[in-house]
Amino acid sequence: MRTENMRTEGMPTESRRAESGHDLRHHGDAEVRDDGGSLVDLAVNVRADTPPVWLREHITASLGGLAAYPDGRAARAAVAARHGLPVERVLLTAGAAEAFVLLARALKVRRPVVVHPQFTEPEAALRDAGHTVGRVLLREENGFRLDPAAVPGDADLVVIGNPTNPTSVLHPADAIASLARPGRVLVVDEAFMDAVPGESEALAGRVDVPGLVVLRSLTKTWGLAGLRIGYVLAAPETIEDLQRAQPLWPVSTPALAAAEACVGPRAVAEAAHAAHRVAADRDRLLTGLARFAPAGLRVAGPAHGPFVLIRVPGASAVRRRLRDLGYAVRRGDTFPGLDGEWLRLAVRDRATTDGFLHALERALTH
């Protein structure tokens, strides 16, 4: 595990991206756009067969109110109730991605640090806002696990995902909480926490961790990536800072309807059931991948998210062969800390997984 600094102040956006050494704005959806639209999608970490019918109908019913400006009070109160918090600790956003932009623009920090490999939008947003970004790189030989001692003591903003995209590692909540200290903002991206049975190691709802900011997304489990809805949980003064950086009416009426529905008791129970189903589907994928160990394939882990990260010799060529065979997977070399030998695979149902494993066998023996 090592730390590195990336100096970016005053640099144009494209120069900052080039300076990073990685395409921070490449995401899984790029694999299934244009000519990839007909492929079986294992590149995007949105739960398959979503949104459910009841949720689509609920969102559709909200369209009758489009003439009025959005009113987020009910949805905000519902999110607060979901996590046992006062509404002053909740901010609704147009997906978690907007929250990263707000944090980068609104918070007055001098030494932000991002723990990698992880979702690249936090660093991209910080760099685009002109910040110098430090990196703590987690290592494969350590299971991509967090060592709190590796985070610089003078970092006044620390960003980490849990479970982490793309490694699927679930860090202990106590280890992450130990990063908190006076004068530091600790941002934990829990976009995939509701896909973990029991949401073990979650920090959402905690008020005893100083400087804690938790981000949640409703787009992954509920298939709402096109609607853009997420939220921030933080101290009231932090919420006020972020809210001042938001435009008026940042979340649409249909997205607000979705938010209110997705944090209700019915939806929470359904998400919990889906998390156990995803865990079973992930186990099947991992069992199938194990048979390719003689070919040099290794799985990062243990995996806890709705995706797994694999290292395979000639990954770029394997990815291209999989596309020819009808499957899209996520390249890993755009994540700091990973190279061209890595691929990320979304967890899918049994039939899809079996078809993919057959295609992978062909791709590896081509």
Side-chain angles (χ1 to χ4, degrees):
M1 190 181 302
R2 64 185 174 90
T3 305
E4 59 183 38
N5 289 321
M6 308 298 296
R7 302 202 62 82
T8 64
E9 294 105 330
M11 297 175 61
T13 298
E14 292 304 323
S15 297
R16 291 198 297 269
R17 289 174 185 167
E19 181 73 11
S20 79
H22 296 80
D23 183 359
L24 300 179
R25 285 276 156 74
H26 179 92
H27 300 296
D29 62 313
E31 308 283 355
V32 290
R33 290 199 299 259
D34 302 326
D35 65 335
S38 62
L39 301 177
V40 177
D41 181 9
L42 277 74
V44 175
N45 291 328
V46 173
R47 184 162 62 98
D49 300 323
T50 53
V53 173
W54 67 265
L55 181 55
R56 291 200 301 269
E57 292 175 345
H58 184 80
I59 294 170
T60 300
S62 75
L63 299 182
L66 291 184
Y69 286 95
D71 183 349
R73 288 176 296 178
R76 189 181 185 192
V79 171
R82 158 78 169 90
H83 295 286
L85 296 171
V87 294
E88 293 80 11
R89 284 182 165 267
V90 176
L91 181 68
L92 302 174
T93 60
E98 188 207 5
F100 291 124
V101 173
L102 296 176
L103 289 164
R105 293 178 178 176
L107 300 185
K108 304 298 187 284
V109 296
R110 296 182 304 277
R111 192 176 182 194
V113 169
V114 179
V115 180
H116 285 291
Q118 77 149 4
F119 184 51
T120 52
E121 277 302 309
E123 180 173 325
L126 286 163
R127 291 161 61 82
D128 285 346
H131 292 282
T132 299
V133 183
R135 291 175 178 170
V136 172
L137 301 179
L138 308 184
R139 298 299 186 188
E140 179 191 9
E141 56 266 29
N142 297 323
F144 294 110
R145 292 188 297 271
L146 171 68
D147 176 5
V151 177
D154 61 348
D156 55 0
L157 173 68
V158 178
V159 185
I160 185 169
N162 202 35
T164 300
N165 171 20
T167 64
S168 208
V169 170
L170 184 66
H171 305 289
D174 288 345
I176 294 180
S178 73
L179 295 174
R181 60 198 61 194
R184 172 182 287 176
V185 178
L186 174 59
V187 179
V188 185
D189 177 7
E190 291 188 352
F192 295 99
M193 187 61 78
D194 60 355
V196 177
E199 296 197 6
S200 59
E201 313 306 336
L203 289 170
R206 294 273 296 270
V207 297
D208 61 321
V209 181
L212 177 66
V213 178
V214 174
L215 276 56
R216 286 284 181 113
S217 170
L218 296 173
T219 65
K220 317 298 184 185
T221 288
W222 297 107
L224 299 175
L227 194 60
R228 311 308 307 143
I229 180 63
Y231 54 88
V232 180
L233 307 175
E237 56 270 24
T238 301
I239 295 297
E240 290 176 2
D241 288 341
L242 299 180
Q243 195 166 26
R244 280 193 292 270
Q246 271 188 318
L248 289 173
W249 312 293
V251 180
S252 70
T253 294
L256 292 172
E260 188 174 358
C262 290
V263 297
R266 171 185 178 176
V268 170
E270 184 173 322
H273 177 75
H276 287 282
R277 187 171 66 249
V278 167
D281 290 338
R282 184 181 60 239
D283 287 345
R284 184 174 184 84
L285 174 60
L286 293 172
T287 298
L289 291 171
R291 73 173 186 258
F292 301 116
L297 186 149
R298 300 199 301 273
V299 180
H304 290 272
F307 46 87
V308 299
L309 181 68
I310 65 171
R311 184 164 200 163
V312 57
S316 295
V318 170
R319 174 174 156 268
R320 289 193 297 271
R321 292 175 199 141
L322 285 169
R323 291 184 71 86
D324 292 339
L325 294 167
Y327 291 85
V329 299
R330 170 67 156 90
R331 55 188 280 206
D333 62 340
T334 63
F335 293 100
L338 301 182
D339 58 25
E341 298 289 281
W342 294 93
L343 300 171
R344 191 192 68 196
L345 314 173
V347 173
R348 297 292 186 240
D349 61 88
R350 175 173 181 162
T352 302
T353 294
D354 290 348
F356 167 74
L357 291 170
H358 178 69
L360 180 61
E361 182 175 24
R362 293 178 61 189
L364 290 173
T365 56
H366 180 77

